Amino acid sequence: RPTHHVAPLDVAWAEHRVMPGSGRWLHGGTFSLVLGRNEPFFFQLPDRARLLGMQLDGQLKVPREVQPGVFQISPAGGQRSYELSLWWDFPDESDLTARPDLTRVRFRGAEDYPELCTLHAPGEYVLASAGTGFDPVGAVRAAAFGSCCVASAFSAVCTRRSN
């Protein structure tokens, strides 16, 4: 009888959002998780990141920090799939004209996962491309939505518009 390896944790999908707030880039992530077994799982924030909040299936939770930047979540009952929402910042990331740190959240026991990254910038900012080697046409699809410029990219840098 063949046995199948069941991964302890699979990240089926992730979305990483970055937006300005309080003079620094704020980060939010939503992760669709599938557990191979109903047991505690662990996530690790990027280096220097500070956890601001967490929800598991829409309920506010306080994870247990088992070492700096590494958190444990103990799921309830026999459920195997979850939606995890995290919010974090980098206290030293205070320049909104600098590229935000887009390092991924890591999950113990999980392999690489698909992730959509969206950068939200205030309306007075534009994507900087002149002289940077950044190709806004090839790498970014940006559109104005009211007072915000939304860009799906991993290397966008914003600069303040000159009037």
Side-chain angles (χ1 to χ4, degrees):
R1 178 176 175 184
T3 59
H4 300 296
H5 171 72
V6 177
L9 177 70
D10 181 38
V11 182
W13 174 254
E15 182 177 350
H16 181 177
R17 297 166 307 283
V18 184
M19 63 218 75
S22 302
R24 64 175 45 99
W25 292 110
L26 300 176
H27 301 257
T30 303
F31 306 89
S32 295
L33 307 176
V34 179
L35 300 180
R37 296 181 287 276
N38 188 25
E39 57 187 38
F41 61 92
F42 300 84
F43 68 88
Q44 182 174 355
L45 292 176
D47 291 342
R48 305 177 346 274
R50 171 179 58 185
L51 184 66
L52 301 174
M54 183 192 113
Q55 284 184 341
L56 189 62
D57 287 340
Q59 301 294 314
L60 288 174
K61 300 286 182 188
V62 178
R64 186 167 77 93
E65 190 167 14
V66 294
Q67 53 184 269
V70 179
F71 299 87
Q72 177 183 344
I73 301 170
S74 298
Q79 187 175 334
R80 295 272 176 102
S81 62
Y82 297 90
E83 183 176 281
L84 175 66
S85 297
L86 301 173
W87 297 273
W88 68 96
D89 72 355
F90 296 89
D92 61 344
E93 193 176 74
S94 61
D95 181 4
L96 289 177
T97 63
R99 179 180 176 211
D101 186 330
L102 298 177
T103 305
R104 291 174 158 215
V105 172
R106 290 175 291 219
F107 293 88
R108 190 177 294 170
E111 297 182 14
D112 199 12
Y113 54 87
E115 180 179 64
L116 170 69
C117 184
T118 305
L119 172 68
H120 299 268
E124 67 269 14
Y125 285 75
V126 294
L127 293 175
S129 60
T132 64
F134 176 68
D135 177 9
V137 175
V140 178
R141 292 176 184 245
F145 289 93
S147 64
C148 295
C149 164
V150 179
S152 295
F154 291 101
S155 59
V157 177
C158 290
T159 58
R160 188 175 289 276
R161 275 190 195 159
S162 56
N163 291 328

Short mmCIF file of all heavy atoms in Angstrom, two decimals, residues 3-42:
data_model
loop_
_atom_site.label_atom_id
_atom_site.label_comp_id
_atom_site.label_asym_id
_atom_site.label_seq_id
_atom_site.Cartn_x
_atom_site.Cartn_y
_atom_site.Cartn_z
N THR A 3 2.25 5.00 0.48
CA THR A 3 1.99 6.07 1.44
C THR A 3 2.29 7.39 0.76
O THR A 3 3.20 7.50 -0.06
CB THR A 3 2.87 5.92 2.69
OG1 THR A 3 4.23 5.95 2.29
CG2 THR A 3 2.55 4.63 3.43
N HIS A 4 1.52 8.39 1.06
CA HIS A 4 1.71 9.71 0.49
C HIS A 4 2.23 10.65 1.56
O HIS A 4 1.72 10.67 2.67
CB HIS A 4 0.39 10.25 -0.06
CG HIS A 4 -0.20 9.39 -1.13
ND1 HIS A 4 0.41 9.18 -2.34
CD2 HIS A 4 -1.33 8.66 -1.17
CE1 HIS A 4 -0.32 8.38 -3.08
NE2 HIS A 4 -1.39 8.04 -2.38
N HIS A 5 3.24 11.41 1.17
CA HIS A 5 3.77 12.41 2.09
C HIS A 5 2.78 13.58 2.16
O HIS A 5 2.37 14.11 1.14
CB HIS A 5 5.14 12.90 1.61
CG HIS A 5 5.64 14.08 2.38
ND1 HIS A 5 6.07 13.97 3.68
CD2 HIS A 5 5.75 15.38 2.05
CE1 HIS A 5 6.44 15.16 4.11
NE2 HIS A 5 6.26 16.04 3.13
N VAL A 6 2.38 13.95 3.34
CA VAL A 6 1.49 15.09 3.53
C VAL A 6 2.33 16.21 4.12
O VAL A 6 2.90 16.06 5.21
CB VAL A 6 0.31 14.75 4.47
CG1 VAL A 6 -0.55 15.97 4.70
CG2 VAL A 6 -0.50 13.61 3.90
N ALA A 7 2.45 17.31 3.38
CA ALA A 7 3.22 18.45 3.88
C ALA A 7 2.55 18.98 5.14
O ALA A 7 1.33 19.04 5.22
CB ALA A 7 3.28 19.55 2.82
N PRO A 8 3.35 19.36 6.15
CA PRO A 8 2.77 19.89 7.37
C PRO A 8 1.95 21.17 7.12
O PRO A 8 0.99 21.43 7.80
CB PRO A 8 3.96 20.20 8.26
CG PRO A 8 5.12 19.53 7.65
CD PRO A 8 4.80 19.27 6.21
N LEU A 9 2.36 21.95 6.12
CA LEU A 9 1.69 23.21 5.85
C LEU A 9 1.88 23.57 4.38
O LEU A 9 2.97 23.46 3.84
CB LEU A 9 2.28 24.32 6.72
CG LEU A 9 1.74 25.73 6.52
CD1 LEU A 9 0.32 25.83 7.04
CD2 LEU A 9 2.61 26.72 7.24
N ASP A 10 0.79 23.99 3.75
CA ASP A 10 0.86 24.44 2.36
C ASP A 10 0.24 25.84 2.31
O ASP A 10 -0.86 26.05 2.82
CB ASP A 10 0.09 23.49 1.45
CG ASP A 10 0.14 23.91 -0.01
OD1 ASP A 10 1.21 24.38 -0.45
OD2 ASP A 10 -0.88 23.77 -0.69
N VAL A 11 0.97 26.78 1.72
CA VAL A 11 0.43 28.12 1.51
C VAL A 11 -0.11 28.12 0.08
O VAL A 11 0.65 28.17 -0.88
CB VAL A 11 1.50 29.21 1.70
CG1 VAL A 11 0.90 30.60 1.52
CG2 VAL A 11 2.14 29.09 3.08
N ALA A 12 -1.42 28.02 -0.04
CA ALA A 12 -2.04 27.91 -1.36
C ALA A 12 -2.01 29.23 -2.11
O ALA A 12 -1.92 29.25 -3.34
CB ALA A 12 -3.48 27.42 -1.21
N TRP A 13 -2.07 30.35 -1.40
CA TRP A 13 -2.10 31.67 -2.02
C TRP A 13 -1.73 32.71 -0.99
O TRP A 13 -2.05 32.56 0.18
CB TRP A 13 -3.51 31.96 -2.56
CG TRP A 13 -3.67 33.35 -3.09
CD1 TRP A 13 -4.34 34.38 -2.48
CD2 TRP A 13 -3.15 33.89 -4.30
NE1 TRP A 13 -4.27 35.52 -3.26
CE2 TRP A 13 -3.55 35.24 -4.39
CE3 TRP A 13 -2.38 33.36 -5.34
CZ2 TRP A 13 -3.21 36.07 -5.46
CZ3 TRP A 13 -2.05 34.19 -6.41
CH2 TRP A 13 -2.47 35.51 -6.45
N ALA A 14 -1.08 33.78 -1.42
CA ALA A 14 -0.75 34.88 -0.53
C ALA A 14 -0.89 36.20 -1.27
O ALA A 14 -0.65 36.28 -2.48
CB ALA A 14 0.68 34.73 0.00
N GLU A 15 -1.30 37.21 -0.53
CA GLU A 15 -1.36 38.57 -1.07
C GLU A 15 -0.66 39.49 -0.08
O GLU A 15 -0.96 39.47 1.12
CB GLU A 15 -2.81 39.00 -1.25
CG GLU A 15 -2.93 40.37 -1.86
CD GLU A 15 -4.36 40.79 -2.10
OE1 GLU A 15 -5.28 39.95 -1.97
OE2 GLU A 15 -4.57 41.97 -2.41
N HIS A 16 0.29 40.26 -0.58
CA HIS A 16 1.08 41.18 0.24
C HIS A 16 0.74 42.59 -0.23
O HIS A 16 0.90 42.92 -1.40
CB HIS A 16 2.56 40.87 0.04
CG HIS A 16 3.49 41.73 0.84
ND1 HIS A 16 4.84 41.54 0.83
CD2 HIS A 16 3.29 42.78 1.68
CE1 HIS A 16 5.44 42.42 1.61
NE2 HIS A 16 4.50 43.19 2.13
N ARG A 17 0.23 43.42 0.68
CA ARG A 17 -0.12 44.80 0.38
C ARG A 17 0.81 45.73 1.16
O ARG A 17 1.08 45.50 2.33
CB ARG A 17 -1.58 45.08 0.77
CG ARG A 17 -2.56 44.26 -0.02
CD ARG A 17 -3.96 44.27 0.57
NE ARG A 17 -4.08 43.91 1.97
CZ ARG A 17 -4.01 42.65 2.45
NH1 ARG A 17 -3.82 41.66 1.63
NH2 ARG A 17 -4.15 42.41 3.73
N VAL A 18 1.27 46.78 0.48
CA VAL A 18 2.14 47.77 1.11
C VAL A 18 1.52 49.14 0.89
O VAL A 18 1.14 49.47 -0.23
CB VAL A 18 3.56 47.73 0.50
CG1 VAL A 18 4.48 48.69 1.23
CG2 VAL A 18 4.12 46.31 0.53
N MET A 19 1.37 49.92 1.98
CA MET A 19 0.76 51.23 1.89
C MET A 19 1.43 52.19 2.87
O MET A 19 1.98 51.75 3.88
CB MET A 19 -0.74 51.14 2.17
CG MET A 19 -1.07 50.67 3.58
SD MET A 19 -2.50 49.59 3.69
CE MET A 19 -1.88 48.06 3.04
N PRO A 20 1.39 53.49 2.59
CA PRO A 20 1.99 54.44 3.52
C PRO A 20 1.09 54.67 4.73
O PRO A 20 -0.13 54.61 4.62
CB PRO A 20 2.11 55.73 2.69
CG PRO A 20 1.06 55.60 1.64
CD PRO A 20 0.88 54.13 1.38
N GLY A 21 1.72 54.88 5.85
CA GLY A 21 0.97 55.19 7.07
C GLY A 21 1.92 55.60 8.18
O GLY A 21 2.94 54.96 8.38
N SER A 22 1.62 56.67 8.86
CA SER A 22 2.44 57.15 9.99
C SER A 22 3.91 57.35 9.59
O SER A 22 4.81 57.04 10.36
CB SER A 22 2.35 56.19 11.17
OG SER A 22 1.02 56.04 11.59
N GLY A 23 4.14 57.83 8.37
CA GLY A 23 5.50 58.14 7.94
C GLY A 23 6.34 56.94 7.54
O GLY A 23 7.52 57.08 7.28
N ARG A 24 5.76 55.76 7.47
CA ARG A 24 6.52 54.58 7.05
C ARG A 24 5.62 53.68 6.24
O ARG A 24 4.41 53.86 6.19
CB ARG A 24 7.09 53.83 8.26
CG ARG A 24 6.03 53.23 9.18
CD ARG A 24 6.62 52.38 10.31
NE ARG A 24 7.74 52.96 10.97
CZ ARG A 24 7.71 53.61 12.12
NH1 ARG A 24 6.57 53.73 12.76
NH2 ARG A 24 8.79 54.10 12.66
N TRP A 25 6.20 52.70 5.59
CA TRP A 25 5.42 51.72 4.82
C TRP A 25 4.80 50.72 5.79
O TRP A 25 5.48 50.16 6.65
CB TRP A 25 6.31 50.97 3.83
CG TRP A 25 6.82 51.82 2.71
CD1 TRP A 25 8.11 52.22 2.52
CD2 TRP A 25 6.07 52.37 1.64
NE1 TRP A 25 8.20 52.99 1.39
CE2 TRP A 25 6.96 53.09 0.83
CE3 TRP A 25 4.73 52.34 1.28
CZ2 TRP A 25 6.56 53.77 -0.32
CZ3 TRP A 25 4.32 53.01 0.13
CH2 TRP A 25 5.23 53.71 -0.65
N LEU A 26 3.50 50.51 5.67
CA LEU A 26 2.79 49.49 6.45
C LEU A 26 2.53 48.30 5.53
O LEU A 26 2.21 48.47 4.36
CB LEU A 26 1.47 50.04 6.99
CG LEU A 26 1.59 51.25 7.91
CD1 LEU A 26 0.20 51.75 8.30
CD2 LEU A 26 2.41 50.91 9.14
N HIS A 27 2.65 47.10 6.08
CA HIS A 27 2.51 45.87 5.31
C HIS A 27 1.33 45.06 5.83
O HIS A 27 1.11 44.99 7.04
CB HIS A 27 3.79 45.04 5.42
CG HIS A 27 5.01 45.75 4.94
ND1 HIS A 27 5.58 45.49 3.72
CD2 HIS A 27 5.76 46.75 5.50
CE1 HIS A 27 6.63 46.28 3.55
NE2 HIS A 27 6.76 47.05 4.63
N GLY A 28 0.61 44.45 4.91
CA GLY A 28 -0.47 43.56 5.28
C GLY A 28 -0.40 42.33 4.39
O GLY A 28 -0.09 42.44 3.20
N GLY A 29 -0.65 41.19 4.95
CA GLY A 29 -0.63 39.96 4.16
C GLY A 29 -1.82 39.08 4.49
O GLY A 29 -2.25 39.02 5.64
N THR A 30 -2.35 38.44 3.46
CA THR A 30 -3.42 37.46 3.64
C THR A 30 -2.90 36.15 3.05
O THR A 30 -2.43 36.13 1.91
CB THR A 30 -4.71 37.89 2.92
OG1 THR A 30 -5.09 39.17 3.44
CG2 THR A 30 -5.83 36.90 3.16
N PHE A 31 -2.99 35.08 3.82
CA PHE A 31 -2.43 33.79 3.44
C PHE A 31 -3.51 32.72 3.54
O PHE A 31 -4.14 32.58 4.59
CB PHE A 31 -1.25 33.43 4.35
CG PHE A 31 -0.20 34.50 4.41
CD1 PHE A 31 -0.28 35.53 5.34
CD2 PHE A 31 0.86 34.50 3.53
CE1 PHE A 31 0.67 36.54 5.38
CE2 PHE A 31 1.83 35.51 3.56
CZ PHE A 31 1.73 36.53 4.49
N SER A 32 -3.71 31.97 2.46
CA SER A 32 -4.62 30.82 2.49
C SER A 32 -3.78 29.60 2.81
O SER A 32 -2.92 29.20 2.03
CB SER A 32 -5.30 30.65 1.12
OG SER A 32 -6.13 31.75 0.86
N LEU A 33 -4.01 29.03 3.99
CA LEU A 33 -3.20 27.94 4.51
C LEU A 33 -3.97 26.63 4.53
O LEU A 33 -5.15 26.61 4.86
CB LEU A 33 -2.73 28.25 5.93
CG LEU A 33 -2.03 29.60 6.15
CD1 LEU A 33 -1.73 29.78 7.63
CD2 LEU A 33 -0.77 29.67 5.32
N VAL A 34 -3.28 25.54 4.21
CA VAL A 34 -3.85 24.19 4.32
C VAL A 34 -2.88 23.38 5.17
O VAL A 34 -1.70 23.25 4.83
CB VAL A 34 -4.03 23.53 2.93
CG1 VAL A 34 -4.60 22.14 3.08
CG2 VAL A 34 -4.92 24.40 2.04
N LEU A 35 -3.38 22.85 6.28
CA LEU A 35 -2.54 22.07 7.18
C LEU A 35 -2.61 20.59 6.82
O LEU A 35 -3.70 20.07 6.58
CB LEU A 35 -2.99 22.24 8.63
CG LEU A 35 -2.96 23.65 9.21
CD1 LEU A 35 -3.43 23.62 10.65
CD2 LEU A 35 -1.58 24.25 9.11
N GLY A 36 -1.46 19.92 6.80
CA GLY A 36 -1.44 18.49 6.58
C GLY A 36 -1.90 17.74 7.83
O GLY A 36 -2.46 16.66 7.75
N ARG A 37 -1.65 18.35 8.97
CA ARG A 37 -2.06 17.78 10.25
C ARG A 37 -2.59 18.92 11.11
O ARG A 37 -2.18 20.05 10.98
CB ARG A 37 -0.87 17.12 10.95
CG ARG A 37 -0.30 15.95 10.19
CD ARG A 37 0.87 15.32 10.94
NE ARG A 37 2.09 16.12 10.90
CZ ARG A 37 2.98 16.10 9.91
NH1 ARG A 37 2.77 15.34 8.87
NH2 ARG A 37 4.06 16.84 9.96
N ASN A 38 -3.49 18.60 11.99
CA ASN A 38 -4.05 19.61 12.89
C ASN A 38 -3.13 19.76 14.09
O ASN A 38 -3.33 19.14 15.13
CB ASN A 38 -5.46 19.22 13.31
CG ASN A 38 -6.13 20.34 14.08
OD1 ASN A 38 -5.76 21.49 13.91
ND2 ASN A 38 -7.07 19.99 14.93
N GLU A 39 -2.08 20.57 13.91
CA GLU A 39 -1.13 20.82 14.98
C GLU A 39 -0.63 22.25 14.85
O GLU A 39 -0.85 22.89 13.82
CB GLU A 39 0.02 19.82 14.92
CG GLU A 39 0.76 19.80 13.62
CD GLU A 39 1.79 18.67 13.55
OE1 GLU A 39 1.53 17.57 14.05
OE2 GLU A 39 2.85 18.93 12.98
N PRO A 40 0.02 22.77 15.88
CA PRO A 40 0.49 24.16 15.80
C PRO A 40 1.39 24.38 14.59
O PRO A 40 2.10 23.47 14.15
CB PRO A 40 1.28 24.34 17.09
CG PRO A 40 0.71 23.33 18.03
CD PRO A 40 0.34 22.16 17.16
N PHE A 41 1.33 25.60 14.04
CA PHE A 41 2.23 25.94 12.95
C PHE A 41 2.92 27.25 13.27
O PHE A 41 2.53 27.97 14.19
CB PHE A 41 1.50 25.98 11.60
CG PHE A 41 0.38 26.98 11.49
CD1 PHE A 41 0.63 28.25 11.02
CD2 PHE A 41 -0.91 26.63 11.85
CE1 PHE A 41 -0.40 29.16 10.90
CE2 PHE A 41 -1.95 27.54 11.72
CZ PHE A 41 -1.69 28.81 11.25
N PHE A 42 3.98 27.54 12.52
CA PHE A 42 4.85 28.66 12.82
C PHE A 42 5.03 29.54 11.59
O PHE A 42 5.12 29.04 10.48
CB PHE A 42 6.24 28.17 13.26
CG PHE A 42 6.20 27.30 14.47
CD1 PHE A 42 5.94 25.94 14.36
CD2 PHE A 42 6.44 27.83 15.73
CE1 PHE A 42 5.90 25.12 15.47
CE2 PHE A 42 6.40 27.01 16.85
CZ PHE A 42 6.14 25.66 16.73
#
